[in-house]
Amino acid sequence: AAAFLPASEGFGFQSGKNAAASRRGGAKTNSPLLEDALASYPFVNDDKTKLSTNFNELARLYGDEEALDMVKIMPRVLRFKSENFERCLNSWEEQFGLENAQKMVQRNPGLLGIPPVLTGDDKPSYFMSYVIAATRPTPLKVAVYAVLAVLLAGNADFWQGGGFYNGGMVEGNL
Protein backbone atom coordinates (compact mmCIF):
# COMPACT_ATOMS: atom_id res chain seq x y z
CA ALA A 1 0.00 0.00 0.00
CA ALA A 2 2.91 2.38 0.75
CA ALA A 3 4.10 2.15 -2.86
CA PHE A 4 0.91 3.87 -4.03
CA LEU A 5 1.05 6.85 -1.67
CA PRO A 6 1.41 10.33 -3.13
CA ALA A 7 4.88 11.78 -2.59
CA SER A 8 3.69 14.06 0.20
CA GLU A 9 2.36 11.08 2.17
CA GLY A 10 5.33 8.89 1.29
CA PHE A 11 7.70 11.44 2.78
CA GLY A 12 5.49 11.83 5.85
CA PHE A 13 4.09 15.30 5.17
CA GLN A 14 0.55 14.50 6.31
CA SER A 15 -1.02 15.67 9.56
CA GLY A 16 -0.80 13.49 12.60
CA LYS A 17 -1.79 14.00 16.22
CA ASN A 18 0.00 12.95 19.36
CA ALA A 19 -0.26 13.37 23.11
CA ALA A 20 1.52 16.74 23.13
CA ALA A 21 -0.97 18.11 20.60
CA SER A 22 -3.83 17.67 23.05
CA ARG A 23 -1.94 19.86 25.54
CA ARG A 24 -1.57 22.80 23.18
CA GLY A 25 -4.57 24.75 24.40
CA GLY A 26 -4.24 23.87 28.07
CA ALA A 27 -3.26 26.05 30.97
CA LYS A 28 0.41 26.55 31.59
CA THR A 29 1.68 24.28 34.35
CA ASN A 30 5.11 23.20 35.44
CA SER A 31 6.43 20.12 33.74
CA PRO A 32 7.32 17.28 36.10
CA LEU A 33 10.74 17.22 34.38
CA LEU A 34 11.48 20.92 34.92
CA GLU A 35 14.10 20.26 37.61
CA ASP A 36 15.86 17.71 35.37
CA ALA A 37 15.93 20.23 32.54
CA LEU A 38 17.37 22.96 34.74
CA ALA A 39 19.97 20.51 36.06
CA SER A 40 20.96 19.74 32.45
CA TYR A 41 21.47 23.44 31.72
CA PRO A 42 25.24 24.11 31.97
CA PHE A 43 25.24 27.91 31.87
CA VAL A 44 25.18 30.08 34.98
CA ASN A 45 23.82 33.53 35.79
CA ASP A 46 20.70 33.11 33.66
CA ASP A 47 17.20 34.00 34.78
CA LYS A 48 15.76 30.73 36.14
CA THR A 49 12.23 32.06 35.68
CA LYS A 50 12.79 32.58 31.94
CA LEU A 51 14.46 29.18 31.62
CA SER A 52 11.55 27.55 33.46
CA THR A 53 8.99 29.36 31.31
CA ASN A 54 10.77 28.27 28.14
CA PHE A 55 11.02 24.65 29.23
CA ASN A 56 7.39 24.52 30.27
CA GLU A 57 6.38 25.90 26.87
CA LEU A 58 8.52 23.28 25.12
CA ALA A 59 6.96 20.56 27.28
CA ARG A 60 3.46 21.83 26.49
CA LEU A 61 4.07 21.77 22.73
CA TYR A 62 6.32 18.73 22.34
CA GLY A 63 5.82 16.60 25.46
CA ASP A 64 7.81 16.41 28.70
CA GLU A 65 10.33 13.72 27.72
CA GLU A 66 10.82 15.19 24.26
CA ALA A 67 11.45 18.67 25.70
CA LEU A 68 14.01 17.27 28.13
CA ASP A 69 15.75 15.45 25.27
CA MET A 70 15.90 18.71 23.30
CA VAL A 71 17.48 20.50 26.26
CA LYS A 72 20.05 17.72 26.62
CA ILE A 73 20.88 17.94 22.91
CA MET A 74 21.04 21.74 22.85
CA PRO A 75 20.81 23.43 26.28
CA ARG A 76 20.76 26.92 24.83
CA VAL A 77 17.27 26.18 23.48
CA LEU A 78 16.13 27.45 26.88
CA ARG A 79 17.47 30.90 25.91
CA PHE A 80 15.35 31.17 22.76
CA LYS A 81 12.19 33.31 22.67
CA SER A 82 9.40 31.08 23.97
CA GLU A 83 6.75 33.30 22.39
CA ASN A 84 8.01 32.05 18.99
CA PHE A 85 7.81 28.33 19.82
CA GLU A 86 4.12 27.86 19.11
CA ARG A 87 4.09 30.20 16.09
CA CYS A 88 6.95 28.24 14.49
CA LEU A 89 5.29 24.92 15.28
CA ASN A 90 2.03 26.15 13.73
CA SER A 91 3.86 27.13 10.53
CA TRP A 92 5.65 23.79 10.32
CA GLU A 93 2.43 21.96 11.14
CA GLU A 94 0.80 23.52 8.06
CA GLN A 95 3.70 22.27 5.93
CA PHE A 96 4.42 18.82 7.37
CA GLY A 97 1.66 17.89 9.80
CA LEU A 98 1.94 18.18 13.57
CA GLU A 99 3.75 14.94 14.31
CA ASN A 100 6.37 15.46 11.59
CA ALA A 101 6.90 19.08 12.61
CA GLN A 102 7.49 18.02 16.20
CA LYS A 103 9.92 15.29 15.17
CA MET A 104 11.81 17.72 12.94
CA VAL A 105 12.39 20.06 15.88
CA GLN A 106 13.30 17.15 18.16
CA ARG A 107 16.02 16.13 15.68
CA ASN A 108 17.29 19.72 15.40
CA PRO A 109 16.23 21.90 18.36
CA GLY A 110 18.21 24.80 16.89
CA LEU A 111 15.23 25.39 14.58
CA LEU A 112 13.45 26.96 17.55
CA GLY A 113 15.82 29.92 17.22
CA ILE A 114 14.35 30.78 13.81
CA PRO A 115 11.92 33.71 13.80
CA PRO A 116 8.42 32.60 12.72
CA VAL A 117 8.53 34.88 9.65
CA LEU A 118 11.35 32.73 8.23
CA THR A 119 9.50 29.41 8.45
CA GLY A 120 7.61 29.81 5.16
CA ASP A 121 9.03 27.05 2.95
CA ASP A 122 11.02 24.75 5.18
CA LYS A 123 11.27 21.49 3.25
CA PRO A 124 15.08 21.88 3.16
CA SER A 125 15.06 22.29 6.96
CA TYR A 126 12.94 19.17 7.29
CA PHE A 127 15.41 17.05 5.33
CA MET A 128 18.47 18.69 6.92
CA SER A 129 17.11 17.83 10.36
CA TYR A 130 17.90 14.20 9.50
CA VAL A 131 21.46 15.16 8.53
CA ILE A 132 21.90 17.18 11.73
CA ALA A 133 20.67 14.27 13.84
CA ALA A 134 22.88 11.75 12.01
CA THR A 135 26.04 13.84 12.30
CA ARG A 136 25.56 15.00 15.88
CA PRO A 137 28.58 13.86 17.91
CA THR A 138 27.84 11.03 20.30
CA PRO A 139 30.32 9.22 22.54
CA LEU A 140 30.25 6.19 20.21
CA LYS A 141 30.93 8.28 17.08
CA VAL A 142 33.76 10.16 18.82
CA ALA A 143 35.32 6.87 19.95
CA VAL A 144 35.15 5.37 16.46
CA TYR A 145 36.72 8.47 14.88
CA ALA A 146 39.44 8.56 17.54
CA VAL A 147 40.33 4.90 16.97
CA LEU A 148 40.42 5.43 13.20
CA ALA A 149 42.62 8.50 13.62
CA VAL A 150 45.08 6.63 15.84
CA LEU A 151 45.17 3.64 13.50
CA LEU A 152 45.72 5.74 10.41
CA ALA A 153 48.16 8.17 12.00
CA GLY A 154 50.24 5.34 13.43
CA ASN A 155 50.34 3.27 10.24
CA ALA A 156 53.55 4.42 8.52
CA ASP A 157 53.21 1.82 5.75
CA PHE A 158 49.81 3.23 4.82
CA TRP A 159 51.12 6.79 4.51
CA GLN A 160 54.40 5.84 2.83
CA GLY A 161 52.41 3.90 0.26
CA GLY A 162 50.50 7.04 -0.70
CA GLY A 163 47.68 7.02 1.84
CA PHE A 164 44.22 6.93 0.35
CA TYR A 165 45.64 7.85 -3.04
CA ASN A 166 48.37 5.44 -3.99
CA GLY A 167 48.85 6.47 -7.61
CA GLY A 168 47.02 3.48 -9.03
CA MET A 169 44.85 5.70 -11.24
CA VAL A 170 47.69 7.72 -12.79
CA GLU A 171 47.73 7.62 -16.58
CA GLY A 172 49.79 4.68 -17.74
CA ASN A 173 49.09 2.67 -14.57
CA LEU A 174 45.49 1.84 -15.50
Side-chain angles (χ1 to χ4, degrees):
F4 300 110
L5 293 175
S8 63
E9 290 180 27
F11 284 109
F13 291 137
Q14 295 299 312
S15 287
K17 302 294 180 202
N18 67 13
S22 64
R23 303 161 65 162
R24 293 179 75 186
K28 292 185 179 183
T29 60
N30 281 343
S31 167
L33 300 178
L34 176 61
E35 292 304 317
D36 293 337
L38 294 176
S40 299
Y41 187 75
F43 307 108
V44 294
N45 298 327
D46 281 336
D47 180 13
K48 297 289 184 198
T49 304
K50 179 178 171 40
L51 300 176
S52 298
T53 300
N54 288 358
F55 181 77
N56 287 323
E57 182 67 3
L58 283 175
R60 184 177 73 84
L61 295 171
Y62 296 93
D64 295 311
E65 290 289 335
E66 293 80 2
L68 182 59
D69 289 342
M70 287 190 276
V71 170
K72 288 180 178 180
I73 290 170
M74 180 179 281
R76 69 175 176 229
V77 75
L78 293 180
R79 288 184 173 176
F80 294 158
K81 294 181 180 179
S82 64
E83 60 270 12
N84 290 341
F85 293 172
E86 187 166 13
R87 291 171 41 206
C88 286
L89 182 60
N90 289 340
S91 175
W92 292 321
E93 179 181 7
E94 289 175 15
Q95 297 174 60
F96 313 120
L98 179 61
E99 189 174 330
N100 288 319
Q102 289 172 325
K103 288 179 182 177
M104 176 181 75
V105 175
Q106 290 166 13
R107 288 187 296 270
N108 183 8
L111 292 170
L112 291 170
I114 296 174
V117 297
L118 298 178
T119 61
D121 180 18
D122 266 352
K123 284 189 181 180
S125 295
Y126 182 84
F127 293 112
M128 283 302 294
S129 71
Y130 286 101
V131 174
I132 297 295
T135 58
R136 182 176 296 116
T138 62
L140 178 61
K141 289 178 188 174
V142 170
V144 168
Y145 295 143
V147 168
L148 285 174
V150 169
L151 290 175
L152 290 177
N155 189 343
D157 294 335
F158 174 79
W159 294 110
Q160 289 172 354
F164 292 106
Y165 177 75
N166 61 14
M169 294 300 288
V170 175
E171 190 174 325
N173 292 337
L174 299 175

Coordinates of all heavy atoms in Angstrom, one line a residue, residues 7-16 89 91-109 111 114 118-134 136:
A7 N 3.6 11.4 -3.1 CA 4.9 11.8 -2.6 C 4.8 12.5 -1.2 O 5.6 12.2 -0.3 CB 5.6 12.7 -3.6
S8 N 3.8 13.3 -1.1 CA 3.7 14.1 0.2 C 3.4 13.1 1.4 O 3.9 13.3 2.4 CB 2.6 15.1 0.1 OG 1.3 14.5 -0.1
E9 N 2.6 12.1 1.1 CA 2.4 11.1 2.2 C 3.5 10.1 2.3 O 3.9 9.7 3.4 CB 1.1 10.3 1.9 CG -0.2 11.1 2.0 CD -1.4 10.3 1.6 OE1 -1.4 9.0 1.8 OE2 -2.4 10.8 1.2
G10 N 4.2 9.8 1.2 CA 5.3 8.9 1.3 C 6.5 9.5 2.1 O 7.2 8.8 2.7
F11 N 6.6 10.8 2.0 CA 7.7 11.4 2.8 C 7.2 11.8 4.2 O 7.9 12.5 4.9 CB 8.2 12.7 2.0 CG 9.2 12.3 0.9 CD1 8.8 12.5 -0.4 CD2 10.4 11.8 1.2 CE1 9.6 12.2 -1.4 CE2 11.2 11.4 0.1 CZ 10.8 11.6 -1.2
G12 N 6.0 11.6 4.5 CA 5.5 11.8 5.9 C 5.0 13.2 6.1 O 5.1 13.8 7.2
F13 N 4.5 13.9 5.0 CA 4.1 15.3 5.2 C 2.6 15.4 5.5 O 2.0 16.4 5.2 CB 4.4 16.1 3.9 CG 5.8 16.3 3.7 CD1 6.4 16.2 2.4 CD2 6.7 16.7 4.7 CE1 7.7 16.4 2.2 CE2 8.0 16.9 4.5 CZ 8.6 16.7 3.3
Q14 N 2.0 14.4 6.0 CA 0.5 14.5 6.3 C 0.4 14.7 7.8 O 1.2 14.3 8.6 CB -0.2 13.2 5.9 CG -0.1 13.1 4.4 CD -0.8 14.2 3.6 OE1 -1.9 14.6 4.0 NE2 -0.2 14.7 2.6
S15 N -0.8 15.3 8.2 CA -1.0 15.7 9.6 C -1.1 14.4 10.4 O -1.7 13.4 10.0 CB -2.3 16.5 9.7 OG -2.2 17.8 9.2
G16 N -0.6 14.5 11.6 CA -0.8 13.5 12.6 C -1.0 14.2 13.9 O -0.7 15.3 14.1
L89 N 5.9 26.2 15.4 CA 5.3 24.9 15.3 C 4.0 25.0 14.4 O 3.8 24.1 13.6 CB 5.0 24.4 16.7 CG 4.4 23.0 16.7 CD1 5.3 21.9 16.0 CD2 4.1 22.5 18.1
S91 N 3.4 27.0 11.9 CA 3.9 27.1 10.5 C 4.3 25.8 10.0 O 4.0 25.4 8.9 CB 5.0 28.2 10.4 OG 5.5 28.2 9.1
W92 N 5.1 25.1 10.8 CA 5.6 23.8 10.3 C 4.5 22.8 10.3 O 4.6 21.9 9.4 CB 6.8 23.3 11.2 CG 8.0 24.2 11.1 CD1 8.5 24.7 9.9 CD2 8.9 24.6 12.1 NE1 9.6 25.4 10.2 CE2 9.9 25.4 11.5 CE3 8.9 24.4 13.5 CZ2 10.9 26.0 12.3 CZ3 9.9 25.0 14.2 CH2 10.9 25.8 13.6
E93 N 3.6 22.9 11.2 CA 2.4 22.0 11.1 C 1.7 22.1 9.8 O 1.2 21.1 9.3 CB 1.5 22.2 12.3 CG 0.3 21.3 12.4 CD -0.6 21.6 13.5 OE1 -0.4 22.6 14.2 OE2 -1.6 20.8 13.7
E94 N 1.5 23.3 9.3 CA 0.8 23.5 8.1 C 1.6 22.8 6.9 O 1.0 22.4 6.0 CB 0.7 25.0 7.8 CG -0.3 25.7 8.7 CD -0.3 27.2 8.4 OE1 0.2 27.7 7.4 OE2 -0.9 28.0 9.3
Q95 N 2.9 22.8 7.0 CA 3.7 22.3 5.9 C 3.9 20.7 6.0 O 3.9 20.1 5.0 CB 5.1 22.9 6.0 CG 5.1 24.4 5.7 CD 6.4 25.0 5.9 OE1 7.4 24.6 5.2 NE2 6.6 25.9 6.8
F96 N 4.0 20.2 7.2 CA 4.4 18.8 7.4 C 3.5 18.0 8.2 O 3.6 16.8 8.3 CB 5.8 18.7 8.0 CG 6.8 19.6 7.4 CD1 7.5 20.6 8.2 CD2 7.2 19.5 6.1 CE1 8.4 21.4 7.7 CE2 8.1 20.3 5.6 CZ 8.8 21.3 6.3
G97 N 2.5 18.6 8.8 CA 1.7 17.9 9.8 C 2.3 18.0 11.2 O 3.5 18.2 11.3
L98 N 1.5 17.9 12.2 CA 1.9 18.2 13.6 C 3.0 17.2 14.0 O 4.1 17.6 14.5 CB 0.8 18.1 14.6 CG 1.1 18.3 16.0 CD1 1.8 19.7 16.2 CD2 -0.1 18.2 16.9
E99 N 2.8 15.9 13.8 CA 3.7 14.9 14.3 C 5.1 15.1 13.6 O 6.2 15.0 14.3 CB 3.2 13.5 14.1 CG 4.0 12.5 14.8 CD 3.3 11.1 14.7 OE1 2.1 11.0 14.6 OE2 4.1 10.1 14.6
N100 N 5.1 15.3 12.3 CA 6.4 15.5 11.6 C 7.1 16.7 12.0 O 8.3 16.8 12.0 CB 6.1 15.4 10.1 CG 5.8 14.0 9.6 OD1 6.4 13.0 10.1 ND2 4.8 13.9 8.8
A101 N 6.3 17.8 12.2 CA 6.9 19.1 12.6 C 7.6 18.9 14.0 O 8.7 19.4 14.2 CB 5.8 20.2 12.7
Q102 N 6.9 18.2 14.9 CA 7.5 18.0 16.2 C 8.8 17.2 16.1 O 9.8 17.5 16.8 CB 6.5 17.3 17.1 CG 5.3 18.3 17.5 CD 4.2 17.6 18.3 OE1 3.9 16.4 18.0 NE2 3.6 18.3 19.2
K103 N 8.7 16.1 15.3 CA 9.9 15.3 15.2 C 11.1 16.0 14.5 O 12.2 15.8 14.9 CB 9.6 14.0 14.4 CG 8.7 13.1 15.1 CD 8.4 11.8 14.3 CE 7.5 10.9 15.0 NZ 7.1 9.8 14.2
M104 N 10.8 16.9 13.6 CA 11.8 17.7 12.9 C 12.5 18.6 14.0 O 13.8 18.6 14.0 CB 11.2 18.6 11.9 CG 12.2 19.6 11.2 SD 11.5 20.7 10.0 CE 10.6 21.8 11.0
V105 N 11.8 19.2 14.9 CA 12.4 20.1 15.9 C 13.1 19.2 16.9 O 14.2 19.6 17.4 CB 11.3 21.0 16.5 CG1 11.9 21.7 17.7 CG2 10.7 21.9 15.5
Q106 N 12.6 18.0 17.2 CA 13.3 17.1 18.2 C 14.7 16.7 17.6 O 15.6 16.6 18.4 CB 12.4 15.9 18.5 CG 11.2 16.3 19.3 CD 10.2 15.2 19.4 OE1 10.5 14.1 19.0 NE2 9.0 15.5 19.8
R107 N 14.7 16.5 16.3 CA 16.0 16.1 15.7 C 17.0 17.3 15.7 O 18.2 17.1 15.8 CB 15.8 15.6 14.2 CG 15.2 14.3 14.2 CD 15.1 13.8 12.7 NE 14.3 14.6 11.8 CZ 13.0 14.4 11.6 NH1 12.4 13.4 12.2 NH2 12.4 15.2 10.8
N108 N 16.4 18.5 15.5 CA 17.3 19.7 15.4 C 16.6 20.8 16.2 O 16.0 21.7 15.6 CB 17.5 20.1 13.9 CG 18.4 21.3 13.8 OD1 19.0 21.8 14.8 ND2 18.5 21.9 12.6
P109 N 16.8 20.9 17.5 CA 16.2 21.9 18.4 C 16.7 23.3 18.0 O 16.0 24.3 18.4 CB 16.7 21.5 19.8 CG 17.1 20.1 19.7 CD 17.6 19.9 18.3
L111 N 16.3 24.8 15.4 CA 15.2 25.4 14.6 C 14.3 26.3 15.4 O 13.7 27.2 14.8 CB 14.4 24.3 13.9 CG 15.1 23.5 12.8 CD1 14.3 22.3 12.4 CD2 15.4 24.4 11.6
I114 N 14.7 30.1 15.0 CA 14.3 30.8 13.8 C 13.1 31.6 14.1 O 12.1 31.2 14.7 CB 14.0 29.7 12.7 CG1 15.3 28.9 12.4 CG2 13.5 30.4 11.5 CD1 15.0 27.8 11.4
L118 N 10.4 33.4 9.1 CA 11.3 32.7 8.2 C 11.0 31.3 8.1 O 11.8 30.5 7.5 CB 12.8 32.9 8.7 CG 13.3 34.3 8.8 CD1 14.7 34.3 9.4 CD2 13.3 35.0 7.4
T119 N 9.9 30.8 8.5 CA 9.5 29.4 8.5 C 8.6 29.1 7.3 O 8.0 28.0 7.3 CB 8.8 29.0 9.8 OG1 7.6 29.7 10.0 CG2 9.7 29.1 10.9
G120 N 8.5 30.0 6.3 CA 7.6 29.8 5.2 C 7.7 28.5 4.4 O 6.8 27.7 4.4
D121 N 8.8 28.3 3.7 CA 9.0 27.0 2.9 C 10.2 26.3 3.5 O 11.4 26.6 3.2 CB 9.3 27.4 1.5 CG 9.5 26.1 0.6 OD1 9.1 25.0 1.1 OD2 10.0 26.2 -0.5
D122 N 9.9 25.4 4.4 CA 11.0 24.7 5.2 C 11.3 23.3 4.8 O 11.8 22.5 5.7 CB 10.7 24.9 6.7 CG 11.4 26.1 7.3 OD1 12.2 26.7 6.6 OD2 11.2 26.4 8.5
K123 N 11.0 22.9 3.6 CA 11.3 21.5 3.3 C 12.8 21.2 3.3 O 13.2 20.1 3.8 CB 10.7 21.2 1.9 CG 9.2 20.9 1.9 CD 8.7 20.4 0.6 CE 7.2 20.3 0.8 NZ 6.5 19.7 -0.4
P124 N 13.6 22.2 3.0 CA 15.1 21.9 3.2 C 15.4 21.7 4.6 O 16.2 20.8 5.0 CB 15.8 23.1 2.6 CG 14.8 23.7 1.6 CD 13.4 23.4 2.2
S125 N 14.8 22.5 5.5 CA 15.1 22.3 7.0 C 14.6 20.9 7.4 O 15.2 20.3 8.3 CB 14.4 23.4 7.8 OG 14.9 24.6 7.5
Y126 N 13.5 20.5 6.9 CA 12.9 19.2 7.3 C 14.0 18.1 7.0 O 14.3 17.2 7.8 CB 11.6 18.9 6.6 CG 11.0 17.6 7.0 CD1 10.2 17.5 8.1 CD2 11.2 16.5 6.2 CE1 9.6 16.3 8.4 CE2 10.6 15.3 6.5 CZ 9.8 15.2 7.7 OH 9.2 14.0 8.0
F127 N 14.5 18.1 5.7 CA 15.4 17.1 5.3 C 16.8 17.2 6.0 O 17.4 16.2 6.4 CB 15.6 17.0 3.8 CG 14.3 16.6 3.1 CD1 13.6 17.5 2.4 CD2 13.9 15.3 3.3 CE1 12.4 17.0 1.7 CE2 12.7 14.9 2.7 CZ 12.0 15.7 1.9
M128 N 17.2 18.5 6.2 CA 18.5 18.7 6.9 C 18.4 18.3 8.4 O 19.4 18.0 9.0 CB 18.9 20.2 6.8 CG 19.5 20.5 5.4 SD 20.9 19.5 5.0 CE 22.1 20.0 6.2
S129 N 17.2 18.3 9.0 CA 17.1 17.8 10.4 C 17.6 16.4 10.5 O 18.2 16.0 11.5 CB 15.7 18.0 10.9 OG 14.8 17.1 10.3
Y130 N 17.4 15.6 9.5 CA 17.9 14.2 9.5 C 19.4 14.2 9.5 O 20.1 13.4 10.2 CB 17.3 13.4 8.3 CG 15.9 13.0 8.5 CD1 14.9 13.7 7.8 CD2 15.6 11.9 9.3 CE1 13.6 13.3 8.0 CE2 14.2 11.6 9.4 CZ 13.2 12.3 8.8 OH 11.9 11.9 8.9
V131 N 20.0 15.1 8.6 CA 21.5 15.2 8.5 C 22.1 15.6 9.9 O 23.0 15.1 10.3 CB 21.9 16.1 7.4 CG1 23.4 16.3 7.3 CG2 21.4 15.6 6.0
I132 N 21.4 16.6 10.4 CA 21.9 17.2 11.7 C 21.9 16.1 12.8 O 22.8 15.9 13.5 CB 21.0 18.4 12.2 CG1 21.1 19.5 11.2 CG2 21.4 18.8 13.6 CD1 22.4 20.2 11.1
A133 N 20.8 15.3 12.8 CA 20.7 14.3 13.8 C 21.7 13.2 13.6 O 22.3 12.6 14.5 CB 19.3 13.7 13.8
A134 N 21.9 12.8 12.3 CA 22.9 11.8 12.0 C 24.3 12.1 12.3 O 25.2 11.3 12.6 CB 22.7 11.3 10.6
R136 N 25.3 14.5 14.5 CA 25.6 15.0 15.9 C 26.6 14.1 16.6 O 26.4 12.9 16.6 CB 24.2 15.0 16.6 CG 24.4 15.6 18.0 CD 23.0 15.7 18.7 NE 22.2 16.7 18.0 CZ 21.0 16.3 17.4 NH1 20.6 15.1 17.5 NH2 20.3 17.2 16.8

